[in-house]
Structure formats: structure tokens, C-alpha cells
Amino acid sequence: MPATVVLGAQWGDEGKGKLVDRIAEQATWVARFQGGNNAGHTVVLGDQILKFHLLPSGITRKECNLVLGDGMVVDPWVLDSELTGWKDSTGEDPRGERLYISERAHVILPYHRFLDGLDKKIGTTGRGIGPTYADKINRIGLRFGDVAEVMNDADWATSTTERMNATLEAAGSDERITVSGLQSDIEWIWDAYNTSIRNTGLMLDNALKLGEHVILEGAQGCLLDIDQGTFPFVTSSVTSRGNASHGAGIHPGHVEEVIGITKAYITRVGNGAMPTELEDEAGEHLGTVGHEFGTTTGRKRRCGWFDAVVMRHANRINGFTGLALTKLDVLGGLDEINICVAYELDGQEILEMPASATALARCKPIYVSMPGFPSHSLEEWLGIAKMANDRGLGYSALPAAAQQYIKKIEAIVGVPCTSVGVGPDRDATIDAV
């Protein structure tokens, strides 16, 4: 069975965790392929709300194996905290049993967090992600597969500590690393994870050859991609389809289905231009009804109308085979809904995103308007979704204006919607028929 890639099609926070949790019921492996604990995903199971930053969304499916892949940067202490919380809730510690960390994944150390905390420009999460990726590119980082090799190497600990402290001093940080502290950290990492560190790319390749279903789970979104996003206000990894197989350690021929996750509107956390951003009653409605606060940082998300220019760019980069439209319910209660179909830049209409962040900041959205549809309670939306799926009604169970909105998005982006989310619950999703 081929691999399925699940990607964010906007600036992240689109609802990837909910979809992966849902489709993981038919999967035997869920693998994260990039990023670190700068990501955050929420899974709602009835009254239980689960928030993860490193653990793949398939954690709730006991038959699913979990992989932190080659392309990730992993904070061992954050992961330990998540695993402790999971064990307290379920009694399970999946380390070495169904949770595996790639020997090629890089380790986030306290030094990286200290350095990242100095950022004042990009609006990063301060979790050490960028500095760890920088060490990776500079070929001085530490991988999980190398932890055992350096654990008793005094020369490595001394030279690494000297380098880290010189960098911290040059950057204006008062924090410092000690040799004994670094050695103690390395020993703890080995003790905590030695049963989990594996050649995960080989494990995934073998699983696919045996016909098992593998989900490759992305973090952040296409517009935060280091190459294809709104540089420099981006993350430090390749978030797009091209890195899904590579970051998991398998070849791209394994991938057949690529699902792009997009909200029925758009949000962004951090700095950088967002042409359809709303600072009016409609924007307040989206933020309030949609509970738009970041899972990782708690920061309020900026909200705006659906941006088809962004989505066309995301589709060109990723080649989506289907869109999973989330949070359609949040639009309920608005009299009019807008869709951005083009930008005006310096008096000229353009259909594609400019590469320059300063040019994007000058872009003004060009809208088409759609009629709104009524609001419902979360319980009512959940009932609509369950009825639609039980009776095989698909989107015909939705209000007529909501159906029109979905069709308009499909036509403008050129990709079919394979599912539509109408609430946070796992079952508040309507499948296409």
C-alpha cells in the first residue's frame, strides 16, 4: 500500500493533527518527517483534549507505530514530558515498543534554546529549532545515532562547550554551557532513548514493501517552508511534499496520495505579511469562534479570508491529490464570506505570490463574495457530520451556501475537497461521496 502525505497548505495550524488521527485508524505507521516542537497539534476525543508537539498524531491509535524521522530536530526533554503525560493518562510508555527515533534526527540541546530565545525579528517559537538546523547545515550538530559515540568523549565535550559558549557570548546571551552539564545531558539522553533509536527509514521502507499503510505527517505549512514560503518569515525546514519521503528516509515513489490541509479561512502566527488579514468584526468572529490561539505558544493567531493565491502556490509546490477543508463551521453566522482570488501590487493585478516579503506586504487582496450560512452549536455540527457519513450524503447535508462555498474553492484551486471539518471532534468531519 502506498504512503499518504498530509501537509499544511497555509501558514500552519490548519488541523493536520485531527485528520491524521482520523485516518490513522487505517494505518500501521505515522511518521513525522521535519520540524520539531515548534509544531503543535490538538486531537479532541469527546471530552478529552490531547495536545502534542513531537509525538505523531497516530499516538491515539494503539496499533500504530510512531516515527520521529530523519529530517526532524527533537528536544529530548520536551519529548520526555509528552511521554510522561501520555503514560500518566494511559499507562503506556511506547519507547522502543512502537515509538522510534531516527538515528539521523538531530538533537536540540539547551544551548540551542538559549540562542533561539534571542530572536526579535522573525517571531520564532524560541524552542531552539532554527539554531539546531543551523548546526545541522554547518555539519556540527549532534544526531541521535551519534549520542553513544560522543557520550564518553571528553575532547568532544570540551570543544563543543567552548564553541557553544563563544557563540552565546557573541550573540549577547548571558547563558553558558559547562562541560559537566553537557556530558550529563548526553548521558541522560542515552539512558532515556537508547531503546528507541533506530534506522527508521529502513523500518518504513520494509513496512511499505509488506503492503502496510504509512502516513507521513508534516508540521507547519507550505507558506512557512524555508525555500517556498514567505522568506524570511518562515521556519527552518522544508515543509513541503518534496521533503516528506526524503525526511522519512524513503524514496518518493512510495507516495501516491498527498492531502493538503486548509482552513475555510486563513490564519498566521508570528511576523510577516498576510494580505487577507482582517482587523474588523469578521476577523474578531473568526478568532473568537475558531478559538485561534497557537497550540505551541498560546499566541493569538491573525485571521483573514481564504486566500486562493496562497493555495495555488501551495498546490503547485505540492501537487495535492485532495484538500481537507477544516473549520467550515467557524464561518457560520457571517452574512457574507470573501475569497481572495488575486492581488493588486503597485497598481497591477497579479495571480501569483511575489517572492519578496516587502512586495507581499504591499499586496492588496482582490475578492469575490459568497453568501453566508447560519451558525450552529458544536453539537449540532457534529450531528450533521454523523448523519452525513452514516447516510452517505456527503456535503449535501450542509447548508446550500456552504456547499456553494466548497464548490467555489474546488474550482478556484483546482483540487477536490476530500473531506470537510465542521468542528474539533474527531467525528466532526464529513467525507466526500
Side-chain angles (χ1 to χ4, degrees):
M1 192 171 185
T4 298
V5 179
V6 177
L7 301 170
Q10 300 173 332
W11 275 286
D13 306 310
E14 303 94 348
K16 296 178 290 295
K18 176 188 171 186
L19 179 74
V20 172
D21 169 70
R22 191 165 180 263
I23 65 176
E25 186 176 12
Q26 286 83 41
T28 49
W29 294 81
V30 176
R32 276 274 308 272
F33 61 84
Q34 48 75 224
N37 59 301
N38 54 338
H41 45 269
T42 302
V43 177
V44 179
L45 307 176
D47 295 331
Q48 189 178 19
I49 299 176
L50 305 173
K51 295 187 178 184
F52 304 118
H53 303 278
L54 286 168
L55 289 172
S57 301
I59 183 74
T60 62
R61 306 290 187 176
K62 295 296 179 67
E63 68 280 4
C64 253
N65 295 296
L66 312 168
V67 168
L68 304 183
D70 302 3
M72 287 190 68
V73 291
V74 179
D75 187 319
W77 292 273
V78 172
L79 180 58
D80 184 67
S81 177
E82 289 193 19
L83 287 166
T84 298
W86 179 253
K87 185 176 181 180
D88 289 344
S89 297
T90 66
E92 181 200 16
D93 186 342
R95 278 179 264 210
E97 299 294 330
R98 65 182 185 107
L99 172 68
Y100 307 103
I101 305 171
S102 169
E103 59 193 6
R104 297 176 182 272
H106 278 248
V107 181
I108 297 175
L109 294 167
Y111 154 78
H112 298 112
R113 295 195 300 270
F114 296 152
L115 199 60
D116 202 18
L118 301 174
D119 169 67
K120 303 298 181 186
K121 177 183 177 183
I122 304 302
T124 72
T125 60
R127 302 302 200 263
I129 310 301
T132 308
Y133 273 117
D135 277 3
K136 174 180 178 177
I137 297 303
N138 287 327
R139 293 161 292 195
I140 54 176
L142 175 68
R143 303 183 304 173
F144 278 88
D146 298 320
V147 168
E149 304 297 327
V150 304
M151 188 163 54
N152 298 310
D153 188 335
D155 291 339
W156 177 86
T158 300
S159 62
T160 300
T161 300
E162 290 173 353
R163 172 179 59 78
M164 288 178 172
N165 285 334
T167 302
L168 288 169
E169 182 177 7
S173 173
D174 294 329
E175 301 285 356
R176 293 295 182 269
I177 307 299
T178 65
V179 172
S180 61
L182 179 60
Q183 289 175 319
S184 177
D185 287 343
I186 298 303
E187 290 173 4
W188 178 85
I189 292 169
W190 178 250
D191 289 341
Y193 298 108
N194 68 85
T195 62
S196 299
I197 301 169
R198 304 286 182 85
N199 183 344
T200 55
L202 180 61
M203 297 172 78
L204 291 171
D205 186 66
N206 287 336
L208 286 161
K209 288 176 179 176
L210 291 171
E212 297 182 40
H213 186 197
V214 173
I215 297 173
L216 304 180
E217 180 182 23
Q220 290 87 42
C222 179
L223 273 293
L224 292 175
D225 187 287
I226 186 67
D227 293 323
Q228 304 298 339
T230 49
F231 187 89
F233 303 101
V234 293
T235 193
S236 305
S237 59
V238 175
T239 63
S240 302
R241 175 182 185 167
N243 192 37
S245 56
H246 187 77
I250 57 176
H251 67 73
H254 283 302
V255 175
E256 184 172 284
E257 188 175 16
V258 183
I259 303 174
I261 316 297
T262 172
K263 285 176 181 169
Y265 48 102
I266 201 166
T267 62
R268 182 169 194 175
V269 171
N271 301 329
M274 179 178 159
T276 68
E277 184 172 5
L278 296 170
E279 296 180 354
D280 56 12
E281 290 183 5
E284 185 68 23
H285 172 97
L286 297 176
T288 301
V289 178
H291 304 287
E292 294 297 353
F293 294 90
T295 303
T296 298
T297 63
R299 291 182 291 183
K300 185 177 180 180
R301 296 177 185 137
R302 300 151 60 191
C303 299
W305 295 120
F306 186 89
D307 192 333
V309 180
V310 162
M311 286 301 302
R312 284 195 297 265
H313 175 81
N315 185 42
R316 176 172 61 82
I317 300 304
N318 294 290
F320 299 128
T321 58
L323 296 179
L325 191 69
T326 65
K327 290 196 165 185
L328 181 69
D329 57 297
V330 175
L331 296 178
L334 294 170
D335 294 331
E336 184 179 71
I337 304 169
N338 290 325
I339 298 175
C340 174
V341 294
Y343 297 152
E344 180 188 321
L345 175 60
D346 300 334
Q348 299 291 319
E349 182 176 321
I350 61 173
L351 298 176
E352 299 295 331
M353 285 178 51
S356 166
T358 54
L360 183 64
R362 297 199 306 275
C363 287
K364 299 177 182 179
I366 298 173
Y367 291 119
V368 296
S369 295
M370 302 287 294
F373 50 88
S375 62
H376 294 290
S377 68
L378 291 178
E379 291 77 14
E380 289 170 333
W381 282 116
L382 180 58
I384 291 172
K386 288 182 176 179
M387 177 189 68
N389 292 330
D390 290 345
R391 300 182 185 179
L393 300 176
Y395 308 147
S396 66
L398 292 167
Q403 296 179 49
Q404 293 173 21
Y405 186 72
I406 295 169
K407 290 176 181 177
K408 191 69 172 180
I409 287 176
E410 289 178 324
I412 293 174
V413 180
V415 182
C417 288
T418 54
S419 67
V420 172
V422 290
D425 193 272
R426 174 190 280 174
D427 295 324
T429 300
I430 300 174
D431 294 317
V433 294

